[in-house]
Amino acid sequence: MEGVEAVAAGYSHTMIIKNDGSLWATGANFYGQLGDGTTYSKSSPVKVMEGVEAVAAGYYHTMIIKDDGSLWATGVNWYGQLGDGTTSDKSSPVKVMDNVEKIEAGSYYTFILK
């Protein structure tokens, strides 16, 4: 790809932010960690959303900060790592909270800095 600003790699998926703020995803998608609304793996990048400032990839989950400071999450949620108050997996990004500065994602956890 051209025009790449940032990348984040999970266990078997990769998230890509392009210079225009669009978020792209590729790789394994067993639990919806790509955020494209499916659980089908992708061998080529697919566009997920616009207006993205930062992304962090965990083992099977992805955390996204949009340019308005809102935090979005997708993928496996066995231990509540998406932060949406549930333990249900998500195949499309769900809004978690506002006014987020930074994120980090680990195996099955997420750190959020407001």
Side-chain angles (χ1 to χ4, degrees), residues 54-104:
V55 65
Y59 202 74
Y60 292 128
H61 73 291
T62 302
M63 305 300 292
I64 304 155
I65 299 177
K66 294 194 76 173
D67 55 15
D68 64 359
S70 60
L71 177 64
W72 297 72
T74 190
V76 80
N77 199 22
W78 299 334
Y79 306 105
Q81 60 266 46
L82 298 185
D84 69 343
T86 76
T87 54
S88 300
D89 300 345
K90 308 295 187 294
S91 61
S92 293
V94 294
K95 187 174 180 181
V96 177
M97 65 178 66
D98 290 311
N99 303 314
V100 173
E101 293 285 326
K102 293 186 181 197
I103 47 172
E104 290 294 334

Side-chain angles (χ1 to χ4, degrees), residues 13-28:
H13 72 292
T14 303
M15 305 302 293
I16 305 151
I17 301 174
K18 293 188 74 173
N19 293 336
D20 64 2
S22 60
L23 179 65
W24 297 74
T26 190

Side-chain angles (χ1 to χ4, degrees), residues 12-14 25-30 33-34 40-45:
S12 55
H13 72 292
T14 303
T26 190
N29 196 27
F30 310 121
Q33 61 265 39
L34 298 185
Y40 300 109
S41 297
K42 307 295 186 296
S43 60
S44 295

